[in-house]
Amino acid sequence: MKYVSVLLPLALPGTYTYTLAPELAASVQVGSRVVVQFGARRYYTGVVTQLLEAPPQAGVALKPVVGVADTAPTVLPAQLRLWQWMAQYYMCSEGEVLKAALPAGLKLESETLLVRNADFDAAGHHLTARDEQLLQALDTERGKKLSELEKELGLKSLMAPVRRLMDLQAVQVSETLSQGFKPRTETRVRLAEAYFSEPRLNELLDALQRAPAQQSLLLNYLDLAQAPAALRLQNAALLAPVAKRTLCGARGSEAAFSALRKRGVLQVEQAEVSRLRPVMPPEAVAGTPLADRSPKPLGSEQQRALEEVRRALGEKQVCLLHGVTSSGKTEVYIHLMAEALAQGRQVLYLVPEIALTTQLTERLARVFGGRMAVYHSKFPDTERVELWRRQLGPDACPLVLGVRSALFLPFQRLGLVIVDEEHETSYKQQDPAPRYQARDTAVMLARQWGAKVVLGTATPSLETYRNARSGKYALVEMPLRYGHVELPEIVVEDVKELRRKKLMTGSSPFSPRLLSEVRAALAGHEQAILFQNRRGYAPVVECRTCGWTPRCTRCDVSLTLHRGLNKLVCHYCGSVYDVPLQCPACEGRELRDVGYGTEKVEEEARRAFPEARIARMDLDTTRSRAAYERIIGEFQRGEKNLLIGTQMVTKGLDFDRVRVVGILNADQMLNQADFRAHERAFQLMAQVAGRAGRRSGRGLVVLQTRQPQLPLVEQVVRSDYAAMYAMQMEEREQFGFPPAVRLISVMLKHRDEQVVAHAAEALAAALRPAFGPDLLGPDRPVVSRVQLLHLRKLLLKVRPGFTPQSVRRSLWAARQWLLSQAAYKSVAVVFDVDP
């Protein structure tokens, strides 16, 4: 008997040992997926992390491995090492990392099926109306999933009646393992071996003179299968496979095909085909195939930067490429990627936003063609599974373009990792665990492979820039735009003063200068972008009489009005509510919307610029991959000339004809309860400003604010990153915030506010002897209730004197102690490292 350690996709510590029957042992390796039972009924697909000759503990009853899901490992040892590091550093379980890493189609999990007991007699039992409704929805043969029942009956929380009916033996429960990923297959046609000779074929074609449809179909097959060349070389293996749907595309050919099969002339077989669409440039799609091209020649500044990056990567593992917007960083990346691919190494190109993969795909495809793959969450799960499986084989794509989840793909020869727009907050995973920072994880991934890392941005994060200034990372700067195009002119409009002078009409969010500049750009067949970092129509609905505002019943936040849906939506839990017709507090009917979201900006823009062809880009309009591609494509081709969007429009998008950018509310970005508010506001405004005037002619940015005297505004106007960095670093050093120290956030959650408040106090008391004044809180967060759970927060400053291992040990020990207390065992304690 053999034994295996299995990692399960659950938030549980460590791995679990199972026995492995001799008949299964030959097909199991480290990284193989196996089906195991966990708990009384549930089955999961876990990953084997270790093969054992003996169990870790003698005398312990172990469950057997039920089945093997793979003929070859699905997870490579290098991936397991990275997951182990992530679990340790980001203070979560390896199972949570596994759950985040694998596409859903590779995580088979049993589903509970409910079946009505045919022998159950309801007489003599007191059944509630819900019990009876549940029984009527079930039959005695085919089981139904709990989720199906909830959807069918329009009910939630059916577990209580299900348990009651189970106790009465009215229903029976069984487990069935979901199928997960299924390869796509197609029916292919081949010529029977008996007819693979010219004399036999000629005889057959003569015999088919009286069956012209069969003769025509056979001739069509021979043409599609390139049979003349195969016959000439007497090599049947050269016959090209022909899909049946291609061969029988014409009307009436199905009957002829069946007749040829009966004659034994044509044979069919099932073949697996890929769902992955080849990444091709427009020219190839149009019917002009292109071989891989060499990268474009670089400008003098780009060439200098490329040579400096090469030298820097010869000395250090990580290089920060700090180049102003439109300085040509992407072309430098392309040359570096081409060099890595020429050496037989793989390249991972990370971008923060799916919208960027859409725009970059076409650009990279012109150089790398079919050698590139794209990976992100908007792709169907089946396509992500196929790419995962392809990366494990000999035909793995050498270049992968993707968002942060692409880090988890299996690599075999990784040589270069590029993290574009490395400062972006999108690289940080918020919920659920692992709450990892993709930029830092990419550096660790590269270190494991001995690969090089290039971090590129116009506005580096303070942590990265400090590492570069201190010599930990190499630093290469590109201070000039490509083609010596000037950085855009930034003009500041004092909205407060304009409203006082009544120069802004009504509720319009546009200053007179912005109105005139956008109109001039549109009239000159140029484009404009309006940036408002808030989606929906209005963030608040308010009663004019008493000031009442509708709030989410599950979260401690006001509801956002979405005019397109005519609903109020909670942006924390997604709950949807009807728009009230009157105030429930005073019964007044004067309800007004306060503030601007992108929907209202779009409405106002249609009034102000009736000639504009407007597109809106926010979370509501980009639910699918097709929506991203459509919006960006239309704007890029000039079919739309005014783009309104949230921070999606700031993330490295490259448009040729944008002359004017409007930042509608700079103050909103500063009014955040976050020590990074100043840094992020500078980054957002500098990035969105960088969308203007990227090719010919200087662009213009209109920055609207009520506080034009702020140092931040002056720093943005002068594009003075160094001044922002110096000012922020002085504050961070003084008050002890990153990068001067590291932070670990500890969030406690519970349905009972008193329980979570007392638990937070108890946890703080347990940790304070070890950390003293570096432990802040517990505090009530700005949003103190989310999805019916009350929150309390502790913040730990980890100064250089503490070792990460000792900090983690102290936090884990305190958490275990807290959860061992009967009063607090149901409290959720969540760690967020580097929040």
Side-chain angles (χ1 to χ4, degrees), residues 95-116:
E96 289 172 301
V97 182
L98 165 63
K99 190 168 185 177
L102 287 182
L106 296 178
K107 293 178 295 196
L108 310 186
E109 187 174 325
S110 66
E111 298 166 327
T112 302
L113 294 182
L114 302 175
V115 181
R116 193 174 80 227

Side-chain angles (χ1 to χ4, degrees), residues 202-312:
N202 289 332
E203 283 177 28
L204 177 63
L205 289 168
D206 290 339
L208 293 176
Q209 295 261 351
R210 296 180 182 178
Q214 294 177 44
Q215 186 186 57
S216 174
L217 188 75
L218 179 58
L219 288 169
N220 189 23
Y221 164 79
L222 295 172
D223 184 44
L224 291 170
Q226 299 170 15
L231 288 165
R232 194 164 50 250
L233 298 171
Q234 291 294 301
N235 188 348
L238 294 178
L239 285 172
V242 177
K244 182 190 170 190
R245 57 186 168 81
T246 303
L247 181 61
C248 299
R251 183 182 300 175
S253 59
E254 189 69 43
F257 175 77
S258 298
L260 287 173
R261 277 194 71 187
K262 284 180 181 177
R263 283 175 176 262
V265 175
L266 297 180
Q267 298 175 337
V268 297
E269 58 189 22
Q270 295 298 313
E272 186 175 331
V273 293
S274 176
R275 293 177 174 89
L276 299 176
R277 285 165 283 181
V279 178
M280 300 297 285
E283 296 93 324
V285 174
T288 311
L290 291 179
D292 291 349
R293 291 177 169 180
S294 299
K296 290 180 183 177
L298 299 178
S300 57
E301 275 295 298
Q302 291 173 313
Q303 187 63 42
R304 175 196 59 78
L306 175 63
E307 291 168 3
E308 287 188 22
V309 170
R310 283 181 188 141
R311 284 196 296 270

Side-chain angles (χ1 to χ4, degrees), residues 665-710:
N665 188 354
D667 309 300
Q668 173 196 324
M669 291 175 268
L670 286 169
N671 298 333
Q672 308 287 331
D674 186 351
F675 69 91
R676 288 195 175 92
H678 190 118
E679 174 191 1
R680 287 180 176 163
F682 178 90
Q683 289 166 341
L684 276 172
M685 288 190 277
Q687 288 287 341
V688 75
R691 302 313 105 203
R694 295 174 69 89
R695 291 296 179 272
S696 58
R698 191 179 187 191
L700 178 75
V701 179
V702 180
L703 192 159
Q704 298 183 172
T705 176
R706 288 180 171 80
Q707 307 171 81
Q709 74 285 355
L710 288 177

Side-chain angles (χ1 to χ4, degrees), residues 114 131 134 146 149 158-167 171 173:
L114 302 175
D131 294 341
L134 189 58
L146 195 61
L149 284 168
L158 287 179
M159 279 309 299
V162 166
R163 286 198 188 98
R164 191 161 54 248
L165 291 171
M166 286 172 61
D167 292 340
V171 298
V173 176

